[in-house]
């Protein structure tokens, strides 16, 4: 009896230690649940030998040691002399073996960050080689090898050659120095500015590990709505401490530069980019930064946008401003990422057209170390937008992609929305800039216009919540961003499958259920929020929940009615040649397709057209019926997602199960809220009944309009 009791206590303890709070992300390294496979791996991995002793090699070795010992549940050690069935890892120059010619040739094609994982025999010994041109490639290769083990892949005969398609793969943190995070839904900032530089939170290293494991190689630490203070010595030392932690992992630190910093912290009377004193100030500032952070990546700038200062305050252009900063950092190899997210309420022009109008004429006018950072769509990270017309419009300038990983407009912290399909939809769009096949992917990877400097940024969803991203499935979006930044040819499904296996284990039944939840989740969200091309109809300021009724605000483009334009005739923004003519910013035949009511894909219909309520859709239904169908289908799909999730009870970790179950309940309620509020509101214009068979909203429009959320998270601090 006593014996049985001890076993029970022991089992309870195991349960507790196994309880999974999500902290470990996709680097869980739980023991492989297949003894036969463990034995096989143990036979194939008798030990490892890392060549070189740079910080990157040391962290690679440590990571492999950790992963092997946990996954295989035994001590696998470093070996001095080479034996059969070992892993040999190191940069090419440090590997003294005679490598097969095939490997040497491939190394010439994979740059500094690429790697090769190859099984081969030498002097009768079977070796798994992880090699690269530089040590950081060895680290990336090591993470790839670990992923193979985590996914229980066959490692008998490996022949993997990888290199990233895009050079700068960055997270953008919209983190403020007071630790609030603009549009952050996972707690406060992970950067503890107050305790830095002396207190190094262990999270910083885990952040770097996670990012390196998916190939992210840079991080912009601060909000684009920038605070000049980060450029003072006091804060630069703090940023330098973070850079020191990240360096072995190949991650460079970048900062946001507030354009008026020369006035605010430099005591100058102007920030005019053509003023010699201002130019000198930025050069000295760059020197000071590089003394503290020798591999500082450069600046990200939001200028003359939403109240931020910029060169136009002095009658200068975006290129004047960007080039001044570029000149300050070029000597050190730094870059300037200048955002194209600009629109001005004093300009009587469709907001969707303004960035193109301002930036296209500047093509070719930027210095070589400037990238223009363009959001995926022309408005603002909506659940669905057509691709931004600047892609394909500035061949002389490197354009970098800005995606939003944090779900400002997609349910914030509580909705399960897998974003890879959104990212892929955009990068696979054909701009036709140089004929068919001129995809957005080719613009941003530089292959369309031969740019060597290329980049992609994701606005981070990370905070100090224990599981990093608030919603566990937010982790899949961080993961997907990194994997696509490395290789945009991966499919959404491949990435989902990887993430699920790394997070929930390899049981096929579980993988399939979760994949079936993730894959349609973005489309579901579009359906219950903004179907058929609707956009920007969310809550005022905090952007939480539906509010298509928002009007009469200081800026028309900050209202909802500006975008949906519903009236008794119909709904949608006429951007055809007869309307704002935004369609003309796209190349032919995209412009004609978007311009045509018949040819425009229905998913973008109300983005480009004002359509009568009784317009016959492809399904044969009227627009009103189709709109209702989408809203109701969105809610139904959330309900069926919850049912699928329930099948996992008892099959996955209970803490993770409960966490997601509770959030799904919120998502379901909020999907109903979106549907009811939007259908009731648009009904005031269509004057048509909700089609037969659909459940009737249980609340009135007035009820939904009365809701207020003064403390919704992620709101922009009032001091901005
Ligand atoms: C950082 C939207 C967001 C703002 C954000 C802005 C931007 O307007 O609501 O919070 O500001 O985009 O991308 O600059």
């Amino acid at each position: 009896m006593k014996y049985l009791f001890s076993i029970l206590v022991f089992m309870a303890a195991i349960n507790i230690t196994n309880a999974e709070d999500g902290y470990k992300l996709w680097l869980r390294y739980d023991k492989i649940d297949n003894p036969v496979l463990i034995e096989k791996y143990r036979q194939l991995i008798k030990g490892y030998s890392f060549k070189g002793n740079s910080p990157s090699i040391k962290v690679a070795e440590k990571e492999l040691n950790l992963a092997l010992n946990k996954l295989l549940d035994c001590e696998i050690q470093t070996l001095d002399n080479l034996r059969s069935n070992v892993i040999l890892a190191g940069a090419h120059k440090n590997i003294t073996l005679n490598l097969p010619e095939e490997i040497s040739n491939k190394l010439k094609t994979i740059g500094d960050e690429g790697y090769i994982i190859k099984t081969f025999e030498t002097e009768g010994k079977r070796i798994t080689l992880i090699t690269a041109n530089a040590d950081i490639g060895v680290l990336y290769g090591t993470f790839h090898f670990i992923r193979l083990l985590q996914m229980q892949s066959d490692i008998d005969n490996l022949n993997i050659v990888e290199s990233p398609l895009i050079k700068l793969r960055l997270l953008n943190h919209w983190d403020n120095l007071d630790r609030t995070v603009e549009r952050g839904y996972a707690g406060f900032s992970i950067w503890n500015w107050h305790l830095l530089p002396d207190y190094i939170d262990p999270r910083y290293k885990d952040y770097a590990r996670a990012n390196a494991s998916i190939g992210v190689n840079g991080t912009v630490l601060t909000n684009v709505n920038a605070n000049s203070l980060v450029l003072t010595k006091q804060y630069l030392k703090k940023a330098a401490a973070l850079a020191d932690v990240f360096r072995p992992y190949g991650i460079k630190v970048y900062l946001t530069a507030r354009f008026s910093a020369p006035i605010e912290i430099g005591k100058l009377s102007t920030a005019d980019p053509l003023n010699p004193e201002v130019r000198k100030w930025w050069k000295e500032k760059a020197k000071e930064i590089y003394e503290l952070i020798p591999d500082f990546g450069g600046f990200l700038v939001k200028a003359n946008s939403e109240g931020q200062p910029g060169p136009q305050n002095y009658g200068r252009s975006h290129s004047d401003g960007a080039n001044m900063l570029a000149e300050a950092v070029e000597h050190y190899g730094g870059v300037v990422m200048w955002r194209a997210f600009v629109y001005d309420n004093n300009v009587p022009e469709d907001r969707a057209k303004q960035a193109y109008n301002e930036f296209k004429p500047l093509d070719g006018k930027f210095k070589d170390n400037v990238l223009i950072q363009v959001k995926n769509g022309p408005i603002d990270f909506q659940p669905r937008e057509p691709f931004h017309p600047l892609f394909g419009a500035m061949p002389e300038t490197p354009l970098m992609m800005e995606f939003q990983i944090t779900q400002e407009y997609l349910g914030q912290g509580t909705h399960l929305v897998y974003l890879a399909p959104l990212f892929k939809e955009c990068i696979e769009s054909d701009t036709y800039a140089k004929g068919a096949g001129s995809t957005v992917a080719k613009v941003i990877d530089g292959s369309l216009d031969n740019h060597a400097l290329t980049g992609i940024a994701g606005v981070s969803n990370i905070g100090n919540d224990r599981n990093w991203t608030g919603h566990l499935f937010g982790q899949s979006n961080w993961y997907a961003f990194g994997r696509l930044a490395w290789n945009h040819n991966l499919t959404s499904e491949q990435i989902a499958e990887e993430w699920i296996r790394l997070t929930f284990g390899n049981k096929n039944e579980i993988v399939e259920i979760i994949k079936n939840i993730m894959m349609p989740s973005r489309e579901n969200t579009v359906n219950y929020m903004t179907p058929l091309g609707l956009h920007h109809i969310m809550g005022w300021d905090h952007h939480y929940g539906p509010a298509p009724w928002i009007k009469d605000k200081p800026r028309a483009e900050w209202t909802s009615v500006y975008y949906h334009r519903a009236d008794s005739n119909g709904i949608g923004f006429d951007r055809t040649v007869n309307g704002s003519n935004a369609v003309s910013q796209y190349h032919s035949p995209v412009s004609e397709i978007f311009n045509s009511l018949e040819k425009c894909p229905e998913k973008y219909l109300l983005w480009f057209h004002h359509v009568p309520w009784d317009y016959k859709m492809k399904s044969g239904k009227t627009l009103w019926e189709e709109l209702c169908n989408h809203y109701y289908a969105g809610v139904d799909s959330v309900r069926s997602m919850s049912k699928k999730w329930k099948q996992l009870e008892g099959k996955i970790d209970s803490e993770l199960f409960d966490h997601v179950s509770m959030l799904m309940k919120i998502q379901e309620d909020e999907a109903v809220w979106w549907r009811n509020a939007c259908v009731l509101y648009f009904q005031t214009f269509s004057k048509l009944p909700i089609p037969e068979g659909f459940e009737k909203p249980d609340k009135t429009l007035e009820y939904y309009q009365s809701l207020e959320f003064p403390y919704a998270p992620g709101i922009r601090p009032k001091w901005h």
Side-chain angles (χ1 to χ4, degrees), residues 174 182-183 223-225 302 305-306 339 341 343 351 375 380-381 402 408-409 543 716:
W174 286 356
E182 187 160 343
R183 312 311 177 187
N223 191 351
V224 286
N225 289 328
K302 171 174 177 177
S305 161
E306 298 188 332
R339 294 176 89 226
F341 179 67
Y343 59 97
R351 171 175 165 186
K375 288 189 181 182
D380 193 9
F381 301 137
E402 180 174 319
E408 176 178 359
Y409 301 105
H543 297 170
R716 181 181 300 176

Side-chain angles (χ1 to χ4, degrees), residues 305-326:
S305 161
E306 298 188 332
Q308 294 298 305
Q312 292 175 345
N313 297 28
Y314 307 94
R316 314 297 184 196
S317 67
H318 284 289
S319 49
D320 292 330
N323 290 343
M324 170 192 65
L325 293 175

Side-chain angles (χ1 to χ4, degrees), residues 61 86 101 133 157 187 200 281 370 376 425 506 523 555:
E61 175 162 2
V86 296
E101 204 179 315
N133 291 311
N157 199 6
I200 302 296
W281 186 86
V370 176
N376 56 289
E425 181 175 276
N506 287 286
E523 201 61 42
R555 295 179 64 154

Side-chain angles (χ1 to χ4, degrees), residues 39-50:
E39 193 42 42
K40 185 170 177 203
Y41 281 162
R42 282 185 190 159
Q43 291 310 319
L44 292 174
I45 311 171
K46 296 261 190 256
Y48 54 81
S49 174
F50 277 78

Side-chain angles (χ1 to χ4, degrees), residues 192-200 234 237-242:
N192 192 334
W193 291 106
H194 188 63
L195 296 189
L196 281 164
D198 298 320
Y199 186 84
I200 302 296
Q234 183 190 7
K237 284 187 183 157
K238 297 169 190 278
L242 290 173

